[in-house]
Amino acid sequence: MFESGSPGRTGFFWPEEAGPTGLPQELLRDEIPGFPELGELEVLRHFTRLSHLNFGIESQFYPLGSCTMKYNPKVNEAVARLPGFSLIHPLAPPALLQGAFELLFGLETALAEIAGMDAVTLQPAAGAQGELAGLMLVRAYLSEKGNPRRKIIVPDTAHGTNPASSTLCGYDVVQIRSNDQGMVAPSAVAKVMDESVAALMLTNPNTLGIFEKNINAIADVVHSKGGLVYLDGANMNALMGIAKPGHMGVDVLHINLHKTCSTPHGGGGPGAGPVGVKNLLRDYLPVPRIMKSGNGYELREDFSKAIGRVRSFFGNFGVLVRAYAYIISLGSDGLAETSRMALLNANYIRRKLESVFQIAYPERCMHECVFTDRLQQKRHVSTLDIAKRLLDYGFHPPTIYFPLVVSGALMIEPTETESRETLDAFIDAMTSIAREAEENPDLLKTAPHSTPVRRLDEARAARKPVLRWEPKRD
Ligand SMILES: *Cc1c(COP(=O)(O)O)cnc(C)c1O
């Protein structure tokens, strides 16, 4: 942008009496060296061109495992933009906020029902912040019992935020290994569980896309030593209307609304990571809490055991509006159907690709399936090469090299919103890539070939980005 335009060119004209800029002289800053001067059409073309370089769920299939890149119905966007929601001021008198309060109360109630928990806070702005808030509740509860304890048990398949949140909350992390079926064994938990452990953080379905069948037995082990069970519920897209974590011995969990409940995500935000608790943790929930009062609702702060505030105002309100619209437009049958379709799509891909790529665990999967590059390694083709080659076929690559317990992992989460035709096109692309790995491995090792930039040195690209746009010449 700094290289286009011409001095004196502009896209906007003030009325003459307002002076050359329309602003009082004392508010004007000095000349900015090299500041671009462009016409309206040049600006428009610049940003339109950039938008075409973007990859999004609305342009192509985006099977990024563990991220649930589903389509977000436009009606939820329309609802979030209603002036009654988008223009309210959080410091307006409660009498003027009753509609917003009713929505927040309704969403808390719906999420408690979906997860099988007793109470919910909507404040945390992301999954990771939900984890931290949830662990702060655990700490407050155990402290009141006399000892906050020192450790959190985290399985080796956990998302990186789990050990990070534990550390941030002042706990030491004890890592346990999953077994050869990709699951946590109750005996592995029993081996490290003692009265110095505050909680176990478990993800279910876990990041291998496998349901932790032994979760009730695991919870019994943790509870028998006075610890609590934290469920990382970021993968709720697999469970809605089918199973409730509250029935699995879980004491506290977070849900990622930006994954499961229709908020566009990627690039860091905005999100919402509500936390659900069983009654034993209710008194510690962050304030303000939304309560029924007379015919309406009020926000209350007078809870002496509360951990305090974790987010300004009501949380990420726009995300909460989308989530509520999503939940009530689908209803309980629709949510169950959503999860069933997510499982069906993932298992369809698993079955269709397991003859061309090595599957990490032969179990039936939940919402995502994990392959490895083991077969392609014979031709020295790696997961990174496969992922880069997928870009040439117009698909966003799956999550790669995660979870760490699978060497060369390719973690595919199709979500429920993709049609059979799209899944088949992706399966065809992956099958072609497997054939190319046999016949022409160099083609993969130099991929991508059709993107605006080729294979990047990713560390250098992040540290020293080259932002100049060069038209492609070959
Ligand atoms: C996405 C995810 C998280 C973190 O959620 P953020 O909203 O990105 O902070 C935690 N655990 C699992 C399993 C996830 O998939």
Side-chain angles (χ1 to χ4, degrees), residues 66 126-128 131 159 161-162 203 207 232 234-235 254 256 258-259:
S66 212
E131 291 170 26
H159 196 277
T161 49
N162 289 192
T203 307
T207 60
D232 179 335
N235 296 330
H254 78 269
N256 280 25
H258 45 295
K259 288 177 181 167

Side-chain angles (χ1 to χ4, degrees), residues 325-343:
Y326 181 76
I327 289 169
I328 59 176
S329 61
L330 284 169
S332 54
D333 292 349
L335 292 174
E337 182 72 7
T338 295
S339 289
R340 279 198 293 270
M341 289 301 293
L343 306 194

Side-chain angles (χ1 to χ4, degrees), residues 172-302:
D172 294 332
V173 174
V174 181
Q175 185 173 296
I176 51 169
R177 290 172 66 147
S178 34
N179 63 19
D180 54 9
Q181 293 167 305
M183 282 184 257
V184 173
S187 58
V189 179
K191 219 178 269 171
V192 291
M193 187 66 212
D194 61 23
E195 264 135 40
S196 69
V197 173
L200 161 77
M201 289 185 97
L202 195 65
T203 307
N204 207 11
N206 66 28
T207 60
L208 295 163
I210 296 172
F211 188 79
E212 296 281 1
K213 277 189 256 189
N214 300 315
I215 184 165
N216 285 89
I218 292 168
D220 287 346
V221 171
V222 176
H223 290 148
S224 72
K225 302 280 182 192
L228 298 186
V229 177
Y230 185 101
L231 186 100
D232 179 335
N235 296 330
M236 202 65 201
N237 210 44
L239 295 185
M240 292 184 296
I242 300 176
K244 298 187 184 195
H247 297 170
M248 304 173 197
V250 170
D251 301 297
V252 47
L253 56 69
H254 78 269
I255 301 173
N256 280 25
L257 297 185
H258 45 295
K259 288 177 181 167
T260 308
C261 295
S262 180
T263 276
H265 60 294
V275 169
V277 297
K278 286 292 183 56
N279 274 329
L280 79 172
L281 295 176
R282 187 194 284 264
D283 290 346
Y284 306 92
L285 284 173
V287 288
R289 279 167 58 191
I290 180 116
M291 301 291 205
K292 271 205 156 125
S293 135
N295 293 328
Y297 301 88
E298 62 179 349
L299 286 181
R300 281 181 39 198
E301 309 239 0
D302 52 331

